[in-house]
Amino acid sequence: MSNSVKRSLIVSMLVSLLMSLSSAALAVGAEVQEIEPEKGPHRGRMLREGDFAIELAIFETGVPPEFRVWASQGGEALPPENVKVSVTLGRLGDGDDQINFRPQDDFLRGDMEIVEPHSFLVTLNAAYGDKRYEWQYDNFEGRTRINDDVADAMGITTGTARSQVLVEQLPLFGRLVADTNALTQLSARFDGVIKAIHVSLGQQVKAGTPLMSIESNESLKSYVLRADIAGEIAALPVNIGEATAGRALVSIVDRSRQVVLLKAYPDDRRRIALNNSVQLRNDTMDVIGEGEVQWISPLLNADQSADIRVSVDASNLALPAGSFIRGDVEVARYEVPLAVKRKALQSFRDFTVVYAKVGDQYEVRMLELGREAGEWVEVLGGLKPGTEYVTDNSFIIKADIEKSGASHDH
């Protein structure tokens, strides 16, 4: 059994174990069920001390999410201008949000947008008359805790969100072909009978190397057919004693002088320029070399594609002429202030997210995404530069959070 297969089995077992532990924790929680927080008439959380009460709700109908507060005493609504309220949101790894309130209609309105995730330690301070009140509660969502040794065993790895150079590549397909004058097929100058063959298939020859001896039908004298280029004997479809009969007797190819011909259709062709770099891949998608766009055909083939000629160091390709090649042509390169790896992305509710890591805790970060190129995706919002985030096996974090049933409490 290979090491990669063993590792996959270990990860699967650990994920199953983690899920089982989460299920067990939920079962225990079901036995000792937490009391659901009291909700007020505006579907906000009720906070009470004596006969004084505060309802704190996130309001997001027609406006970005914001906190609103309704105050009451003895069940009677209080004028909002008579109550002072402030709220502090303690966020995981991102500092605190300090929210102040001003009267509006029959409520107090917070002065800042409550950005996602709505996951924080809430501290509310209120003042009415000569009395001061304070409440504190957890409002966590999209968050879980996994010990570092367990995370390591599961193959969970992280990176740091920072600026990146994005390289856009255009995948094209074609073949490896012999360059101009790098392939020759030799015939007899005078037809006759092959008397001797001096080379063999695959043999390297120089220009002028004797290839075979032929007895002319007219003079009955022998002459020598010689190589006209240096290269490898690629075809030798004859035997001693056969008549030359005007056919090709030997083919020589200079494998160091091969090029890649890719096909580009009009929309792609317009994005390609001379000297664009090209990453070459074989039929199993392994990278086998680099090249540059050397020529763009001004003519279209019957299928409306244009030939794109890519110069390569063919001596390192170790592929025969005619091999299928994929060429990833670089068409743009630019730096973005912030990017994350594409494989780190997961879905959470209606958002695309990554999982930020703070200590042994992981929490969603809802992203606004921009351009994509290769393994990177530009981040326009939702993540602070320098944030440590999960790059590999982020699906494990997603599964654990979904299993725990993290809520979205408004």
Side-chain angles (χ1 to χ4, degrees):
M1 185 181 297
S2 67
N3 290 333
S4 60
V5 173
K6 289 180 180 177
R7 181 176 178 81
S8 298
L9 289 174
I10 291 172
V11 169
S12 298
M13 292 172 62
L14 287 170
V15 171
S16 298
L17 177 60
L18 180 61
M19 298 302 98
S20 298
L21 292 173
S22 298
S23 298
L26 289 173
V28 172
E31 293 178 4
V32 186
Q33 188 171 6
E34 184 178 348
I35 299 175
E36 182 72 18
E38 180 189 356
K39 298 291 186 179
H42 304 94
R43 301 189 58 79
R45 182 182 287 245
M46 292 301 302
L47 305 170
R48 298 182 182 277
E49 184 174 325
D51 62 353
F52 181 75
I54 289 286
E55 181 183 358
L56 176 66
I58 293 181
F59 185 85
E60 49 189 331
T61 302
V63 296
E66 63 185 27
F67 271 131
R68 293 186 177 183
V69 166
W70 291 263
S72 62
Q73 188 169 42
E76 297 293 329
L78 295 173
E81 59 272 14
N82 293 345
V83 182
K84 302 297 182 184
V85 172
S86 65
V87 169
T88 301
L89 305 180
R91 293 185 177 271
L92 181 66
D94 285 341
D96 296 340
D97 293 342
Q98 188 66 45
I99 304 170
N100 296 306
F101 292 78
R102 66 179 185 276
Q104 180 175 318
D105 299 330
D106 64 340
F107 58 88
L108 290 158
R109 181 179 184 181
D111 63 357
M112 68 179 292
E113 178 182 349
I114 312 303
V115 298
E116 296 280 4
H118 294 170
S119 179
F120 24 66
L121 174 65
V122 181
T123 302
L124 185 148
N125 288 280
Y128 175 63
D130 58 354
K131 291 189 176 181
R132 301 291 183 267
Y133 304 88
E134 180 176 303
W135 293 272
Q136 190 173 80
Y137 63 90
D138 294 339
N139 188 85
F140 297 152
E141 68 161 347
R143 182 187 296 193
T144 191
R145 185 188 300 271
I146 300 176
N147 291 335
D148 287 342
D149 54 347
V150 175
D152 290 342
M154 289 181 168
I156 296 171
T157 60
T158 62
T160 302
R162 54 168 63 96
S163 64
Q164 294 290 340
V165 174
L166 271 59
V167 179
E168 289 188 20
Q169 292 180 316
L170 189 65
L172 301 178
F173 298 86
R175 290 177 181 268
L176 183 67
V177 300
D179 199 357
T180 305
N181 299 324
L183 173 65
T184 185
Q185 294 179 316
L186 299 175
S187 302
R189 185 174 182 182
F190 307 104
D191 274 341
V193 177
I194 299 169
K195 290 297 184 179
I197 298 174
H198 309 301
V199 292
S200 58
L201 278 173
Q203 181 178 331
Q204 295 291 327
V205 297
K206 298 179 181 179
T209 298
L211 302 176
M212 59 186 65
S213 297
I214 301 171
E215 182 183 274
S216 171
N217 289 337
E218 295 182 4
S219 66
L220 300 181
K221 292 182 178 180
S222 292
Y223 66 91
V224 175
L225 181 66
R226 296 180 182 273
D228 58 355
I229 65 170
E232 177 183 334
I233 303 298
L236 194 61
V238 295
N239 294 298
I240 294 173
E242 291 185 8
T244 58
R247 57 181 166 152
L249 305 177
V250 60
S251 297
I252 303 173
V253 61
D254 183 355
R255 293 182 62 174
S256 67
R257 294 164 55 200
Q258 297 184 99
V259 296
V260 172
L261 275 186
L262 303 172
K263 289 185 177 294
Y265 290 92
D267 286 346
D268 293 337
R269 181 177 177 273
R270 284 188 281 270
R271 302 184 65 193
I272 300 171
L274 293 177
N275 302 318
N276 282 166
S277 64
V278 183
Q279 188 177 63
L280 303 174
R281 298 176 181 271
N282 59 18
D283 56 358
T284 60
M285 294 298 103
D286 297 321
V287 176
I288 57 173
E290 303 284 340
E292 289 186 348
V293 175
Q294 188 180 59
W295 174 74
I296 303 172
S297 175
L299 304 175
L300 297 181
N301 300 313
D303 63 355
Q304 296 299 295
S305 66
D307 290 332
I308 308 296
R309 181 187 175 103
V310 179
S311 61
V312 297
D313 181 2
S315 61
N316 294 327
L317 294 185
L319 290 175
S323 297
F324 285 108
I325 296 288
R326 166 173 155 169
D328 294 330
V329 183
E330 181 181 319
V331 293
R333 179 182 290 261
Y334 45 86
E335 185 172 0
V336 297
L338 190 62
V340 295
K341 289 190 174 181
R342 187 197 303 265
K343 64 182 178 181
L345 301 179
Q346 294 289 344
S347 61
F348 180 84
R349 299 205 322 267
D350 296 328
F351 300 95
T352 299
V353 304
V354 293
Y355 294 100
K357 181 179 187 295
V358 180
D360 62 354
Q361 295 188 81
Y362 300 83
E363 188 177 75
V364 293
R365 294 291 181 267
M366 286 74 167
L367 304 182
E368 179 186 353
L369 300 177
R371 294 165 290 184
E372 300 182 6
E375 66 174 331
W376 297 101
V377 181
E378 180 183 15
V379 176
L380 302 177
L383 190 69
K384 293 183 178 180
T387 299
E388 184 180 3
Y389 71 100
V390 178
T391 55
D392 291 280
N393 292 324
S394 57
F395 71 92
I396 297 175
I397 309 297
K398 173 183 171 70
D400 191 48
I401 288 174
E402 290 179 346
K403 198 73 172 180
S404 66
S407 64
H408 186 61
D409 181 20
H410 283 186

